């Protein structure tokens, strides 16, 4: 056993397909005996069947030992957590020894030990005989157990080293977590089958490689011989309509079942096609992750992932950055997802040293890279969902890519090849990029990208389809700019779409922090919360980003105009006949007139009812497309898409209505009383409102930095401006007619930049009207995070009802899922539980909001953005984990004129220019009245 050997393994059997067989099998998952050593140089005497392991601990398999108290996880994104000196690894090499006693049935003979996944280097003994060793953590390995099995008790022993020469190939932006983390099986199955099932013009072309005979009762195929093609009428497989045909292949000693999906992937005129139609990928990147089990993901969780993806209009998955558990691909076949299956290869850390010694270009590593490619392709070759192979991720360039690509093309010419790391695309069939900006994507769509130096390679690349294998980094609040990306993908045929980074936050369940990220286990080298960058939270609750994505990825588009709506389906392979359309007219957010909408299966223009008769309030029409019947991935009535249009021209902001019933301000013992409000006589600050103790309002220019703000440099620039430490000065408190006028200047120390804010208060309609005129002073060259007012309310405020966009948060370049309506929430539920606390929970375009509790409440009217929290912006910004946020004595209400956009600068482009917020003179109109 040589941990520094380039050889990918010893004693293993040839790779073969993952098949469902009737051959006898023993499930060896369960409780194993376990011992951890901190170095690799430990005696292997434990492999002796007579070894006494009674003093050892117990460990479940599959699992990672670091999640069961043996050492700790560690997270790095790019850098290796050990010196870069391939193929050598440190002496400090955690080594786990496993033992499993199992009973062999009396009639058993022969068999294979199959390991679906072991991280990172495993040596296997059966009854004291060394069967061999293996690397390649996320591809299977099989060993011939037959000669060493014996009736009755058998002892299986496995030694797993965390580090080996293979670790240099597995630097995949995730937690480093060793162990036997996938299934272990003793099986008498030895069959291998490669089904070839293509489709054209209503016909399926079927053949297969193997030693048995194939039968498919549904297609009338009986005992089809290997290599013998047959053509039959079929329905094609696609992610939209995942039609599968059940078949069996009969061998002398076993029968295996396969599910056949007929589909053809091709490229014509630079367009990616499936079954002759353009294929637009509305995808996500998916690491395998569970907050308690790491990459030992239960089947139920895999299924939950696929169901959530389907329910949120995702149609494609890139298996970043390794092949997933084979059960996941079964689910993609069954429920319908296009899959880019990615090789278990990433050498990203070599980029830190200018790619010196990169295994991708080291011929000594060629067998290991080819081995990983072979084991992936052979295992997954029968899955119709897998439409493309990927050579790996962020592994630089080098001669070994050609070795992998040449073999894959020879073995399976039916699937294109993907690899992003070589911009020349010399070994691929598609042009792939990460985090290309909107402008770059448009240029590529127009075939106007920057040319390569080699004219031949440049011409070849321009003839390729383009996809974004990673874009719209979903870290924390965001991602922004989704709508604009999708518009480009829809506009240009060359653009095949892409894959959001990524599906899930990799926060590990923690007893005090709620969820842990890099550095929380004391790692000396880590990348912080960069591992928390998903569309669902660790418990798989959808984030606002996923809800937005559902609307952006909607397979139905609504275009309103001239009393009609044009309904168009954008599913590549399905019409609208499976959907039911329903509409509702709402006045001031209250539904008043629901109605069905008859939409042809092919789409078209449909006349709409008018908004006549509802002129007394703001009137909106909302159309929903819902499933007409149950689907395998969602029940009837599940909302697939929606569109909304405003019917009335009634005023949006009630503050523009004429005020009435006003009164003059009265001075009383250092206070000023006006229209239900009490003001401090010296500062002009509001201290009581309709019987509630309040404090404010004050100008707020700061927000708790989002991940995108921090990584994109905005937080640093805002700190330089001092926006987090503003001082407030009152210059005058005066009465002008019926108005109370408070003149202030807001600025930070060490700068001459400031904001003049003039508050004009007047009594009106049983409440208070406020006009806040805001004027910048000085040259504000940088954008600012927000512009608005903050007001502290009593902690007794518990509930919020508002008329505006909702129900979830929305910022200038996010919030595609937010529609205009009347919504209700608790203050606590207004918060978005990002693992790393940051700006969140903003409800936009609010016409009015009522905030109430057992001690009373108030209503705010106008047109504003709303947040309400039990902590200040400063406290939110200082928090590093959600338990850091402790409710205080106030509810802090923000009434915003504007926010800076969100963007995706944590890894990708910053906020688009149209969503930047720059200081400029502006006015905010608000009306405060008692809660009704």
């Amino acid at each position: 056993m040589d941990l520094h050997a380039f050889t990918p393994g010893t004693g293993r059997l040839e790779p073969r397909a993952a098949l469902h067989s009737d051959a006898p099998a023993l499930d060896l998952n369960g409780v194993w005996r376990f011992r951890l050593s901190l170095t690799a140089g430990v005696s292997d005497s434990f492999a002796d069947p007579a070894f006494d392991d009674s003093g050892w601990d117990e460990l479940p398999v599959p699992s990672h030992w670091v999640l069961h108290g043996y050492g700790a996880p560690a997270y790095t994104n790019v850098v290796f957590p050990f010196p870069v000196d391939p193929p050598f690894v440190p002496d400090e090499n955690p080594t786990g020894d496993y033992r499993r006693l199992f009973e062999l049935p009396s009639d058993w003979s022969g068999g294979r030990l199959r390991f679906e996944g072991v991280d990172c280097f495993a040596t296997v003994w059966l009854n004291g005989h060394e069967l061999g060793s293996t690397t390649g953590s996320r591809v299977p390995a099989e060993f011939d157990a037959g000669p060493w099995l014996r009736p009755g008790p058998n002892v299986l022993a496995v030694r797993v080293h965390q580090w080996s020469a293979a670790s240099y190939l597995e630097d995949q932006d995730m937690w480093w977590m060793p162990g036997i983390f996938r299934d272990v099986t003793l099986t008498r199955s030895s069959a291998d089958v490669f089904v070839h099932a293509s489709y054209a013009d209503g016909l399926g072309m079927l053949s297969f490689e193997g030693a048995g005979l194939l039968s498919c009762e549904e297609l009338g195929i009986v005992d089809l011989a290997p290599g013998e093609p047959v053509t039959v009428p079929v329905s094609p497989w696609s992610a939209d309509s995942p039609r599968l045909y059940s078949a069996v292949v009969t061998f002398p000693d076993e029968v295996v079942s396969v599910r056949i999906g007929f589909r053809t992937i091709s490229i014509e005129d630079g367009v990616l096609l499936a079954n002759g139609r353009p294929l637009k990928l509305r995808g996500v990147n998916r690491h395998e992750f569970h907050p308690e089990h790491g990459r030992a993901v239960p089947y139920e969780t895999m299924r939950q992932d696929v169901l959530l993806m389907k329910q949120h209009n995702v149609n494609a998955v890139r298996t970043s950055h390794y092949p997933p558990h084979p059960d996941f691909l079964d689910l993609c076949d069954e429920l319908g997802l296009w899959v880019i299956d990615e090789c278990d290869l990433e050498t990203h850390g070599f980029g830190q040293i200018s790619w010196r010694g990169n295994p991708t270009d080291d011929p000594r590593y060629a067998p290991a890279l080819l081995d990983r490619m072979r084991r992936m392709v052979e295992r997954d070759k029968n899955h119709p969902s897998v439409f493309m192979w990927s050579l790996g991720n962020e592994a630089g360039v080098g001669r070994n890519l050609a070795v992998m690509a040449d073999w894959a093309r020879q073995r399976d010419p039916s699937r294109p090849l993907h690899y992003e790391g070589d911009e020349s695309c010399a070994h691929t069939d598609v042009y792939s990029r990460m985090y290309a900006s909107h402008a770059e994507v448009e240029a590529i769509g127009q075939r106007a990208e920057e040319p390569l130096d080699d004219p031949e390679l440049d011409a070849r690349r321009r003839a390729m389809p383009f996809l974004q294998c990673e874009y719209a980094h979903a870290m924390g609040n965001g991602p922004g700019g989704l709508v604009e990306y999708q518009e480009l993908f829809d506009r240009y045929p060359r653009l095949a779409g892409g894959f959001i980074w990524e599906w899930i936050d990799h926060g590990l369940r923690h007893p005090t922090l709620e969820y842990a990220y890099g550095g929380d286990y004391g790692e000396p080298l880590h990348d912080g919360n960069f591992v928390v960058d998903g569309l669902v939270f660790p418990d798989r609750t959808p984030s606002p980003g996923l809800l937005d994505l559902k609307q952006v990825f909607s397979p139905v588009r609504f275009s309103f105009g001239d009393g009609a709506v044009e309904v168009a389906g954008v599913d590549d392979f399905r019409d609208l006949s499976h959907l039911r359309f329903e509409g509702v007219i709402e006045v001031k957010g209250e539904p008043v007139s629901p109605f069905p909408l008859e939409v042809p299966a092919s789409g078209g223009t449909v006349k709409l009812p008018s908004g006549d008769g509802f002129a007394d309030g703001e009137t909106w029409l909302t159309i929903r497309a819902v499933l007409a019947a149950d689907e395998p991935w969602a029940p009837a009535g599940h909302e697939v898409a929606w569109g909304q249009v405003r019917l009335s021209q009634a005023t949006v902001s009630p503050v523009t209505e004429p005020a009435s019933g006003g009164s003059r301000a009265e001075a009383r013992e250092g206070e000023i009383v006006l229209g239900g409000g009490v003001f401090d006589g010296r500062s002009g600050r509001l201290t009581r409102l309709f019987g509630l103790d309040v404090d404010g309002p004050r100008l707020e220019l700061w927000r708790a930095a989002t991940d995108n703000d921090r990584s994109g440099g905005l937080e640093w620039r805002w700190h330089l401006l001092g926006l987090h430490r503003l001082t407030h000065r009152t210059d005058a408190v005066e009465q002008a007619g019926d108005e109370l006028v408070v003149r202030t200047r807001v600025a930070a120390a060490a700068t001459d930049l400031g904001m003049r804010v003039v508050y004009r208060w007047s009594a009106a309609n049983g409440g208070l009207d406020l006009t806040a005129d805001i004027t910048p002073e000085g040259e504000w060259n940088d954008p600012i995070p927000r512009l608005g007012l903050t007001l502290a309310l009593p902690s007794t405020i518990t509930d919020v009802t508002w008329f505006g966009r909702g129900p979830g948060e929305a910022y200038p370049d996010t919030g595609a899922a937010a529609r205009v309506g009347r919504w209700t929430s608790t203050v606590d539920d207004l918060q978005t539980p990002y693992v790393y606390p940051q700006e969140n929970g903003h409800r936009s375009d609010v016409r009015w909001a009522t905030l109430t509790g057992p001690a009373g409440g108030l209503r705010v009217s106008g047109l504003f953005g709303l947040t309400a929290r039990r902590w200040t912006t400063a406290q939110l910004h200082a928090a590093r984990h959600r338990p850091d946020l402790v409710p205080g004595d106030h509810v802090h209400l923000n009434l915003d004129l504007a926010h800076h956009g969100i963007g995706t600068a944590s890894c990708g482009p910053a906020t688009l220019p149209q969503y930047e917020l720059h200081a400029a003179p502006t006015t905010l109109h608000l009306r405060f009245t008692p809660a009704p």
Side-chain angles (χ1 to χ4, degrees):
M1 148 182 30
D2 184 357
L3 297 179
H4 304 138
F6 295 97
T7 305
T10 61
R12 298 175 310 182
L13 297 169
E14 284 295 299
R16 64 190 181 105
L19 296 167
H20 297 277
S21 170
D22 69 351
L26 290 180
D27 180 357
L28 298 182
N29 293 342
V31 177
W32 292 47
R33 290 288 188 175
F34 179 77
R35 175 186 67 184
L36 179 67
S37 303
L38 298 182
T39 65
V42 186
S43 168
D44 60 9
S45 60
F46 80 102
D48 188 326
F51 182 86
D52 181 7
D53 61 14
S54 60
W56 286 20
D57 295 334
E58 292 182 335
L59 184 72
V61 171
S63 73
H64 302 281
W65 69 63
V66 292
L67 298 182
H68 290 266
Y70 304 95
Y75 166 65
T76 61
N77 169 29
V78 176
V79 298
F80 288 105
F82 46 76
V84 181
D85 183 24
F88 302 104
V89 292
D91 293 338
E92 296 82 6
N93 190 349
T95 297
D97 290 333
Y98 295 77
R99 283 170 56 91
R100 173 76 151 85
L101 179 68
F102 64 92
E103 291 284 331
L104 194 69
S106 59
D107 59 347
W108 190 288
S109 63
R112 298 171 172 225
L113 277 168
R114 184 177 178 92
F115 294 82
E116 294 292 348
V118 184
D119 191 331
C120 149
F121 183 109
T123 305
V124 181
W125 292 265
L126 179 62
N127 294 324
H129 179 80
E130 183 176 331
L131 301 183
S133 62
T134 187
T135 61
S137 297
R138 284 153 283 275
V139 281
E142 286 190 325
F143 300 92
D144 184 6
W148 314 104
L149 288 167
R150 58 195 184 197
N154 287 256
V155 176
L156 175 60
V158 183
R159 168 162 287 175
V160 180
H161 301 284
Q162 179 162 12
W163 310 123
S164 74
S167 300
Y168 289 100
L169 309 180
E170 297 181 359
D171 186 24
Q172 287 138 318
D173 183 12
M174 58 187 180
W175 293 99
W176 297 93
M177 294 189 292
I180 304 174
F181 70 97
R182 286 186 186 160
D183 307 292
V184 182
T185 309
L186 175 64
T187 176
R188 281 169 50 184
S189 173
S190 60
D192 193 13
V193 174
F194 191 176
V195 174
H196 304 280
S198 59
Y199 174 84
D201 302 323
L203 297 176
M205 287 64 73
L206 176 66
S207 65
F208 79 101
E209 301 172 40
L213 298 173
L214 185 147
S215 298
C216 179
E217 182 179 352
E218 188 174 2
L219 295 175
I221 298 172
V222 179
D223 291 344
L224 182 69
E228 180 181 322
V230 63
T231 300
V232 289
V234 296
S235 297
W237 188 97
S238 71
D240 302 326
S241 299
R243 182 65 165 92
L244 294 171
Y245 295 87
S246 296
V248 296
V249 182
T250 302
F251 294 85
D253 297 322
E254 63 180 302
V255 177
V256 300
S257 59
V258 291
R259 295 187 298 183
I260 301 172
F262 293 87
R263 85 300 173 262
T264 296
I265 307 299
S266 59
I267 295 171
E268 296 180 15
D269 299 324
V271 178
L272 181 64
L273 304 175
N275 303 329
R277 299 183 182 183
L279 176 54
K280 293 288 187 177
L281 302 167
R282 300 186 289 274
V284 296
N285 284 274
R286 176 188 177 268
H287 267 292
E288 291 189 304
F289 183 76
H290 186 282
E292 294 163 353
H293 308 303
R295 287 184 288 280
V297 181
Y299 176 84
E300 295 75 15
T301 304
M302 298 182 214
R303 186 175 182 84
Q304 182 184 3
D305 276 347
V306 176
L307 292 176
L308 277 172
M309 290 174 189
K310 295 287 292 186
Q311 291 163 7
H312 290 85
N313 295 330
V314 171
N315 75 349
V317 174
R318 174 177 173 235
T319 68
S320 51
H321 299 294
Y322 43 81
H325 192 289
D327 285 349
F328 181 77
L329 298 180
D330 285 341
L331 289 165
C332 293
D333 293 343
E334 171 191 337
L335 297 170
L337 288 171
W338 298 106
V339 176
I340 294 182
D341 203 359
E342 191 148 85
C343 188
D344 189 10
L345 170 64
E346 181 168 335
T347 66
H348 203 171
F350 285 88
Q352 303 294 106
I353 56 170
S354 302
W355 297 104
R356 292 188 302 273
N358 184 17
T360 307
D361 198 39
D362 185 339
R364 297 174 298 175
Y365 269 108
L369 270 63
L370 177 58
D371 174 73
R372 289 164 184 250
M373 192 71 188
R374 289 184 66 225
R375 288 157 70 192
M376 174 182 71
V377 170
E378 296 294 357
R379 191 196 74 169
D380 298 341
K381 59 197 173 190
N382 294 315
H383 290 284
S385 58
V386 176
F387 76 100
M388 190 178 293
W389 303 116
S390 177
L391 303 179
N393 182 70
E394 293 177 322
V397 297
R399 69 196 82 179
N400 294 336
L401 293 176
V403 174
M404 301 167 71
D406 291 348
W407 178 87
R409 282 201 175 90
Q410 179 275 326
R411 181 62 174 133
D412 180 23
S414 72
R415 292 178 172 99
L417 294 183
H418 168 272
Y419 179 68
E420 177 273 339
D422 182 0
E423 68 174 11
S424 76
C425 300
H427 308 293
T428 68
D429 300 300
V430 296
Y431 177 24
S432 178
R433 284 281 305 279
M434 291 182 181
Y435 308 108
S437 69
H438 297 80
E440 291 176 284
V441 170
E442 181 160 29
I444 293 168
Q446 297 169 341
R447 302 184 190 278
E449 67 264 32
E450 288 292 322
L452 296 170
D453 293 336
D454 185 319
E456 184 176 341
L457 285 174
D458 184 68
R460 181 176 178 272
R461 193 180 73 174
R462 284 180 200 277
M464 291 179 174
F466 173 80
L467 61 88
Q468 286 249 60
C469 66
E470 296 178 20
Y471 78 108
H473 196 251
M475 186 174 179
N477 189 332
L482 288 174
V483 170
E484 290 76 12
Y485 271 124
Q486 194 61 41
E487 287 174 349
L488 294 171
F489 296 152
D490 292 343
R491 188 184 312 160
Y492 296 104
R494 185 191 186 191
L495 305 181
F499 299 84
I500 305 293
W501 186 267
E502 64 166 311
W503 175 242
I504 189 168
D505 287 343
H506 298 203
L508 289 168
R509 187 80 67 183
H510 193 279
T512 58
L513 303 177
E514 186 179 46
Y515 293 111
Y517 49 75
D520 286 335
Y521 295 99
E523 309 100 297
L525 192 66
H526 64 85
D527 285 297
N529 69 309
F530 202 73
V531 75
V532 178
D533 51 7
L535 291 164
V536 297
F537 299 126
D539 65 357
R540 285 174 164 77
T541 300
S543 75
L546 181 60
L547 301 180
D548 282 355
L549 192 71
K550 176 183 177 180
Q551 181 67 0
V552 172
F553 280 0
S554 167
V556 184
R557 304 290 163 80
F558 302 97
S559 300
F560 296 93
D562 298 325
V565 60
E566 182 179 348
V567 184
V570 295
D571 263 348
D572 303 308
F573 310 99
R574 196 177 194 184
D575 62 19
L576 303 178
S577 59
H578 64 296
L579 299 175
R580 184 180 76 249
F581 292 83
E582 52 192 40
V584 64
I585 292 175
E586 295 174 306
V587 178
K588 298 181 181 178
E590 293 288 352
V592 296
S593 182
F595 59 92
L597 201 67
E598 297 299 326
V599 177
S602 59
T605 301
V606 181
K607 184 175 175 56
L608 294 171
S610 70
D612 296 343
F614 306 112
D616 60 336
E618 186 178 341
T619 306
W620 287 79
L621 168 65
T622 304
I623 296 176
R624 300 170 65 240
V626 303
L627 291 179
D630 291 347
E631 296 273 354
W633 47 271
H638 167 78
E639 184 178 278
V640 173
W642 62 271
Q644 193 176 56
V645 65
R646 187 174 167 192
L647 297 179
S648 74
Q649 297 304 312
T651 179
V652 169
S653 173
V655 176
T656 60
E657 300 170 0
S660 62
S663 61
R664 296 175 62 88
E666 299 180 17
R668 300 177 185 171
E669 298 181 354
E671 296 180 331
I672 301 172
V673 179
L674 176 66
V678 178
F679 298 81
D680 180 84
R682 298 187 62 183
S683 67
R685 297 271 289 279
L686 186 63
T687 60
R688 284 187 65 77
L689 184 60
F690 314 131
L692 300 174
D693 290 331
V694 301
D695 186 18
R698 302 176 64 167
L699 183 70
E700 179 82 278
L701 303 179
W702 175 247
R703 72 184 183 198
T706 68
D707 287 307
N708 294 313
D709 294 338
R710 289 187 289 117
S711 298
L714 283 174
E715 180 190 19
W716 175 77
R717 291 158 68 184
W718 294 337
H719 267 266
L720 287 181
L721 290 173
L723 301 185
H724 61 303
R725 49 178 174 81
L726 296 176
T727 60
H728 300 257
R729 185 185 78 210
T730 300
D731 291 336
V733 179
E734 56 195 29
Q735 188 165 335
D738 291 340
E739 290 186 333
L740 174 66
V741 180
V742 181
R743 303 181 186 278
T744 68
R745 187 176 190 272
V746 181
T751 178
D752 62 352
L753 299 179
M755 293 276 186
R756 292 280 180 183
V757 187
V758 179
Y759 301 92
R760 302 181 185 276
W761 296 93
S762 60
N765 297 332
L768 272 174
D769 274 5
L770 169 63
T771 297
D773 296 313
I774 304 168
T775 306
E777 290 185 342
E779 296 184 7
W780 290 78
N781 297 317
D782 287 321
I784 58 176
R786 81 182 325 148
L787 182 62
L789 304 178
T790 182
L791 178 67
L793 305 177
S795 61
T796 55
I797 296 294
T798 55
D799 298 287
V800 184
T801 299
W802 73 99
F803 177 38
R805 292 178 66 197
E809 70 183 27
Y811 291 82
D813 55 346
T814 73
R819 65 189 86 175
V820 175
R822 184 178 296 199
W823 313 101
T824 298
S825 172
T826 65
V827 170
D828 296 334
D829 287 345
L830 285 177
Q831 317 312 309
T832 303
Y834 294 115
V835 172
Y836 191 105
Q838 56 198 274
E839 168 61 38
N840 74 88
H842 178 266
R843 270 59 178 183
S844 67
D845 297 333
V846 175
R847 284 75 160 149
W848 56 259
T850 301
L851 299 101
T852 58
L858 59 89
R859 172 176 285 200
V860 187
S861 304
L863 186 59
F864 53 90
L866 167 75
T867 60
R869 306 187 180 109
R870 298 193 181 278
W871 34 79
T872 66
T873 297
Q875 290 167 335
L876 180 59
H877 181 73
R880 293 296 173 263
H881 295 85
R882 284 187 5 98
D884 295 340
L885 295 169
V886 179
D889 295 331
H890 298 91
V891 167
H892 300 274
L893 175 66
N894 282 90
L895 306 169
D896 289 316
L897 269 168
H899 260 268
H900 188 77
I902 297 298
T904 63
S906 55
C907 189
T911 302
L912 287 166
Q914 62 265 38
Y915 300 120
E916 293 180 350
L917 176 60
H918 292 273
T922 190
T923 299
L924 176 61
H925 298 282
L926 298 171
R927 175 168 293 162
F928 298 88
T929 54

